[in-house]
Each structure stands twice: as structure tokens, then as C-alpha cells.
Amino acid sequence: VRQGNELCSYADLVLSLGNLSNMLYRHYGVKTIVLIDEYDAPLQYAWEKGFYDDMISFMRQFYSEVLKGNEALEFAVLTGVLRIAKESIFSGLNNLRICSVTSKSYNTAFGFTEEEVAGMAAALQHQDRLPELKEWYDGYNFAGADMYNPWSVIQYFQEDCKAGAYWVNTSGNGIIRQMLGGIEQEQAEDLHRLMEGKTVAKQVNEGVIYEDIGRNSDDLYTLLLNAGYLKCVRMRDDLYGQEAELKLPNKEIYSLFGREILANMMSGGAVSSLRG
């Protein structure tokens, strides 16, 4: 990595975030709060491009420097598509609290509640748009909490209440595209059932990591659930862990599902074989 005319060393990169938190603490006298969105995006990119092990090694050191034994740190919040507990980059940390889309902890913090959307509509004098907002952007179920997609609701109001699929391309979905390229007939039929408004029951493994993806056909649905393409209607325990009843949440996702998911199925030959 080049800094001006000089190269930044590997050690400098490893220590960078930890050093920044310490500098801020010394300057302001207040412990730092670290917010990391899509923590696993570098891992996904590395997994796709073939240098996953090297990235795991770097990220383990990078995050340990800022999250472990850092007296300048007040607390940190990380978000990502896959859970962090088994990804081995956090193996040295023992004070992690994991809040997934199926847990009740902070379940109303993943989006906008119906009351919050109604308040926004009232403040903007668009109460008449509430049915359309509900049809397009509501429907997520986080451990019993009914939630709206916050990004899309904000974009809807900014675009003079024009309904559309605003959530598209807000995050990388390369790993999902890769999995869809080689799905089997049964998976293709399940995805078509979802497009028909039906539910499918699948094993959900929230501890799946990139190294394990592809070993179990249900991993695709875990990724689709965590990435926001599906909602969990009902969760039940069985002999093999947890089985989730899954469904598309709203009109926006129906649009994206048809455009992205089925298009990738078609490129992999699944749709043509299903129709044939």
C-alpha cells in the first residue's frame, strides 16, 4: 500500500485502526466507539478471488489490535451478512454479543417500526402513502418484530413518493450469485415457490462460514435470510438444529428476486431445465 511516495508496511496496516482509536483517546480524553459496517465484505471478496486464507490471517490481527485489550475502546459494533463467532478472526475475543435476525435482542433496531414510518409520513404530510409503503417495504420479521426496510423508506420519500426497488445494489451479492450458478433442480423449484408467494421450510445455520458454503444446500437460504431477501415466518427446533419457514417479505423483494435471483439461476441453466 502506497502512502504518497512511501509504501505502507503490513504491520502499519495491522495496527492502523487500533492506533487511530488510541490517538483519538489521547487527544479528546474520551474512549472511542468503533462502528464497522459489513465487517465480512473483505472476507467475501477474498473468498471469491482466491486469497481467503491470507485475508483471514490479516483480519484476525487487524481486529484483535482494536478490539482486544484496547484501553482506548469504549465499545464496538460490527454488522455483516454472516455471523462472526466461527469466522476464526475473533477467536481470541470472549466478550462478543451476537444479535442475529432471529434473536430478540435489538430486534427493533434492524429497521423502521410501523410507528416510526407513520410518524415520518405524518411529518411529511404523506399519510395517504402508508398503504403503498407497507406493500413495498414492510414485511420483515425479526423475532416477532414487524419492520420496514429503512433505506428504501428514506429513498421513497426523497424521490417524491415514487415506489421502486431502491435496495438493489446496496451490498455485494457475489457469493449468492456464485451459489445460484450451480443450484440443483429442487432448489430451483423452491425459489419458484417463493416467487409464487409460498413458503419453504429450510434448515438455518447461522454459524455457517465462507469455508463451509456449498457443503449444505440449505446454506443458500441462510445467506438469503441474512442478506434480507427472505423473512422468517416461523422458527422451530428439530433434531438437526433449527428449521425456518421462509417467505419473500414485500413487493420490493419480489421485484429484486425476479431480477437478480432468477436471472442468475437462468445463467446457470437452472431455469431452463426447470421449464424443459
Side-chain angles (χ1 to χ4, degrees):
V1 178
R2 187 172 294 279
Q3 291 182 327
N5 294 324
E6 297 182 0
L7 289 176
C8 178
S9 70
Y10 183 91
D12 289 335
L13 290 175
V14 166
L15 299 172
S16 59
L17 190 56
N19 284 341
L20 177 60
S21 67
N22 277 277
M23 292 174 186
L24 290 170
Y25 180 41
R26 290 200 300 269
H27 182 77
Y28 291 103
V30 179
K31 290 191 174 184
T32 56
I33 296 173
V34 175
L35 306 177
I36 301 175
D37 189 22
E38 296 189 7
Y39 92 91
D40 55 344
L43 298 176
Q44 176 178 320
Y45 184 83
W47 185 82
E48 294 174 21
K49 301 300 182 181
F51 57 99
Y52 178 80
D53 290 340
D54 290 336
M55 182 60 76
I56 283 287
S57 176
F58 172 80
M59 298 301 284
R60 182 186 297 115
Q61 300 173 74
F62 178 75
Y63 283 130
S64 292
E65 287 297 326
V66 67
L67 300 177
K68 184 178 180 180
N70 183 1
E71 296 183 357
L73 180 68
E74 181 68 21
F75 66 87
V77 176
L78 293 80
T79 69
V81 173
L82 296 187
R83 281 180 58 163
I84 63 179
K86 288 181 60 182
E87 203 44 282
S88 78
I89 60 176
F90 300 103
S91 57
L93 303 178
N94 56 12
N95 59 344
L96 294 172
R97 182 175 182 183
I98 300 171
C99 304
S100 73
V101 296
T102 61
S103 63
K104 290 188 176 180
S105 299
Y106 304 102
N107 60 341
T108 60
F110 288 105
F112 288 155
T113 65
E114 190 158 11
E115 293 75 15
E116 289 170 333
V117 173
M120 294 174 64
L124 297 170
Q125 298 183 345
H126 287 310
Q127 295 97 320
D128 59 320
R129 300 289 186 167
L130 286 174
E132 185 172 62
L133 278 162
K134 188 173 186 65
E135 179 184 21
W136 273 84
Y137 310 118
D138 188 21
Y140 291 98
N141 180 10
F142 300 131
D146 183 61
M147 304 298 292
Y148 286 71
N149 182 324
W151 170 264
S152 298
V153 169
I154 292 172
Q155 297 304 307
Y156 175 85
F157 284 127
Q158 288 184 338
E159 295 297 327
D160 297 324
C161 298
K162 180 182 178 181
Y166 295 112
W167 186 65
V168 65
N169 293 328
T170 57
S171 62
N173 295 315
I175 190 170
I176 295 177
R177 288 195 297 271
Q178 185 165 338
M179 293 185 71
L180 287 169
I183 64 172
E184 300 175 353
Q185 182 83 3
E186 182 180 350
Q187 287 179 302
E189 292 172 354
D190 285 338
L191 293 173
H192 275 280
R193 277 196 284 272
L194 290 169
M195 284 295 295
E196 294 171 352
K198 301 176 182 178
T199 62
V200 296
K202 297 294 175 182
Q203 292 289 321
V204 172
N205 177 16
E206 292 185 329
V208 67
I209 61 176
Y210 287 105
E211 286 181 310
D212 295 337
I213 287 171
R215 298 178 185 175
N216 188 323
S217 60
D218 284 358
D219 289 345
L220 171 63
Y221 300 95
T222 299
L223 288 175
L224 290 173
L225 174 63
N226 289 341
Y229 285 99
L230 298 175
K231 71 173 180 178
C232 180
V233 178
R234 190 176 296 104
M235 183 78 76
R236 53 181 173 270
D237 295 329
D238 60 20
L239 293 176
Y240 304 101
Q242 288 186 313
E243 184 181 72
E245 192 173 337
L246 304 170
K247 188 177 183 180
L248 298 184
N250 51 47
K251 194 170 182 178
E252 178 180 44
I253 299 303
Y254 272 97
S255 172
L256 294 178
F257 211 78
R259 185 188 314 169
E260 295 185 17
I261 304 300
L262 295 186
N264 282 288
M265 286 169 57
M266 185 176 297
S267 66
V271 172
S272 58
S273 64
L274 184 62
R275 291 172 177 169

